[in-house]
């Protein structure tokens, strides 16, 4: 099949943020992989997302002695999403693998992903069989979240999947066109479509260093996922508002008739307070929801570049 012949070069994109502890191990394992590969030409692309430790020096040294290693250093910490976009915009090979610097995604699986790619699949995404080292709460909340997201967005969302995947040129070009500033890769990978296939693996523990995630960031990402997939929360606000207005009108009529028939009755403090509180809460919530979307519009209309590069070593001809 001629698909085989055109699928011969691949870039491994590694976003890094303060990864000095894991990088030496990553270099070693990637080297071993690249040296044993016969029918595939590798490029390593490190995107440093504003590290403040020794990460940049390690990458620079490694790239000096390894011709297949390239790098982009961003001008500050932009977040993994934007760091990945910086990488995606600078891929010149037939395929792209995105992998974490902390070796939670074993690079040794790449050849197996390549096999599937060469069978004609465009997006070979790795799905975790197990999530070792993650708490019960994290697993459960993540499952619920994606179930809901899938329901409300109507787009098939890959569960237990991170950014570890092999993307064909078609997908890379598609992703390059999605230049929105508020990025949610999971949404984007699902949105582009193409021939997808899952690939089961065991996600390892972080090799070294600390995760940059915390619950606050996760909640942020979760809200981001919903607002970038669907405008349903806005509709819910409208429906809830309409329902409450309707009930209010009915209640007003009841109160009016009762007052006319039986005269003014003073007690009613509790019911008044409840209504005021519920309405106030609903209004604030709706405002918040509108604010989330408006914020996205605001960020996008500023039309700023998604990231800025401070230093790079990219070979555009391969
Ligand atoms: N990362 C990044 N920018 C950030 C935070 C993280 O480029 O602001 C990189 C990090 O170096 C790692 C990957 O994103 O290669 C995943 O980060 P982490 O391991 O902290 O997340 P987790 O695996 O816990 O979800
Ligand atoms: Mg990690």
């Amino acid at each position: 099949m001629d698909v085989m012949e055109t699928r011969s070069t691949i870039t491994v994109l590694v976003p890094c943020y303060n990864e000095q502890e894991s990088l030496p191990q990553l270099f070693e394992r990637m080297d071993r992989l690249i040296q044993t590969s016969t029918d595939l030409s590798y490029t390593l692309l490190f995107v440093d997302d504003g590290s403040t430790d020794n990460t940049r020096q390690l990458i620079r040294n490694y790239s000096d002695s390894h011709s297949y290693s390239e790098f982009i250093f961003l001008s500050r910490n932009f977040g993994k999403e934007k760091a990945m976009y910086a990488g995606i915009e600078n891929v010149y090979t037939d395929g792209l693998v995105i992998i974490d610097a902390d070796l939670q995604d074993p690079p040794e699986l790449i050849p197996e992903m390549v096999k599937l790619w060469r069978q004609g699949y465009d997006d070979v995404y790795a799905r975790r069989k197990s999530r070792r080292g993650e708490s019960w709460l994290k697993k459960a909340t993540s499952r619920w979240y994606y179930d809901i997201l899938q329901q409300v967005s109507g787009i098939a969302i890959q569960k237990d999947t991170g950014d570890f995947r092999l993307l064909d040129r078609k997908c890379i070009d598609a992703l390059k066109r999605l230049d929105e500033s508020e990025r949610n890769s999971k949404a984007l990978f699902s949105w582009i479509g193409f021939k997808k296939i899952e690939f089961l693996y065991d996600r390892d523990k972080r090799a070294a260093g600390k995760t940059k995630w915390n619950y606050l960031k996760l909640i942020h990402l979760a809200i981001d996922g919903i607002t970038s997939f669907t405008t349903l929360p806005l509709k819910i606000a409208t429906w809830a508002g309409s329902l409450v207005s309707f009930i209010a009108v009915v209640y007003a009529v009841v109160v009016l008739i009762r007052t006319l028939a039986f005269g003014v009755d003073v007690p009613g403090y509790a019911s008044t307070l409840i209504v005021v509180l519920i309405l106030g809460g609903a209004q604030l919530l709706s405002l918040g929801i509108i604010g989330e979307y408006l914020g996205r519009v605001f960020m996008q209309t500023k039309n700023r570049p998604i990231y800025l590069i401070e230093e790079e070593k990219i070979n555009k001809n391969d």
Side-chain angles (χ1 to χ4, degrees), residues 34 37 44 46 78 87 103 131 145 151 185 189 197 200 202 204 210 226 260 281 305 313-314:
I34 292 173
S37 144
L44 276 177
F46 296 92
F78 282 89
L103 294 164
R131 302 177 63 155
Y145 172 70
Q151 286 294 319
S185 301
F189 293 142
I197 189 161
L200 288 172
D202 287 307
D204 290 333
K210 272 202 310 238
I226 290 182
L260 289 177
K313 176 201 166 199
I314 298 279

Side-chain angles (χ1 to χ4, degrees), residues 117-311:
W117 177 40
R118 287 183 169 162
Q119 280 169 21
Y121 293 102
D122 303 313
D123 179 357
V124 184
Y125 62 92
R127 176 170 176 180
R128 312 190 252 275
K129 246 190 289 186
S130 63
R131 302 177 63 155
R132 263 179 270 166
E134 285 181 34
S135 71
W136 170 87
L137 190 66
K138 189 169 174 189
K139 281 186 244 184
T141 43
S142 138
R143 199 176 50 242
W144 296 330
Y145 172 70
Y146 286 108
D147 280 347
I148 294 171
L149 198 54
Q150 166 111 38
Q151 286 294 319
V152 301
S153 70
I155 297 176
I157 295 160
Q158 292 91 44
K159 285 192 199 81
D160 288 330
T161 312
D163 299 318
F164 184 33
R165 56 179 69 222
L166 192 162
L167 297 161
D168 182 59
R169 187 79 240 167
K170 283 185 217 138
C171 302
I172 303 168
D173 290 337
L175 287 168
K176 275 163 86 168
R177 291 178 59 190
L178 304 181
D179 56 355
E180 53 207 67
S181 59
E182 299 310 288
R183 308 186 68 75
N184 182 282
S185 301
K186 198 139 188 160
L188 303 180
F189 293 142
S190 301
W191 189 88
I192 59 169
F194 294 109
K195 255 191 264 162
K196 296 186 189 305
I197 189 161
E198 76 174 28
F199 172 92
L200 288 172
Y201 80 119
D202 287 307
R203 187 163 161 91
D204 290 333
K205 280 201 184 120
R206 215 170 209 289
K210 272 202 310 238
T211 174
K212 277 98 206 166
W213 284 109
N214 53 43
Y215 261 95
L216 211 64
K217 274 197 186 171
L218 274 181
I219 290 170
H220 205 82
L221 193 76
I223 292 177
D224 223 53
I226 290 182
T227 49
S228 66
F229 257 120
T230 166
T231 52
L232 187 73
L234 290 173
K235 289 182 196 138
I236 293 176
T238 312
W239 293 334
S242 318
L243 186 70
V244 171
S245 309
F246 177 73
I247 294 171
V249 169
V250 172
Y251 188 60
V253 171
V254 171
V255 170
L256 194 69
I257 293 173
R258 210 174 53 188
T259 312
L260 289 177
F262 305 106
V264 184
D265 98 55
V266 177
Y269 171 73
S271 59
T272 312
L273 196 67
I274 290 171
V275 170
V276 168
L277 286 179
I278 291 178
L279 277 183
Q283 282 169 356
L284 281 180
L285 184 68
S286 313
L287 266 182
I289 293 171
I290 295 171
E292 278 295 327
Y293 286 94
L294 192 64
R296 296 180 76 85
V297 174
F298 171 66
M299 296 308 274
Q300 187 69 47
T301 49
K302 280 196 288 189
N303 225 347
R304 290 193 181 160
I306 294 173
Y307 58 87
L308 290 174
I309 295 179
E310 188 175 335
E311 188 183 333

Side-chain angles (χ1 to χ4, degrees), residues 13 15 47 79-89 98 163 185:
L13 167 61
V47 179
K80 186 186 178 190
E81 296 287 335
K82 295 181 183 183
M84 285 194 295
Y85 188 68
I88 288 170
E89 279 206 309
I98 304 174
D163 299 318
S185 301

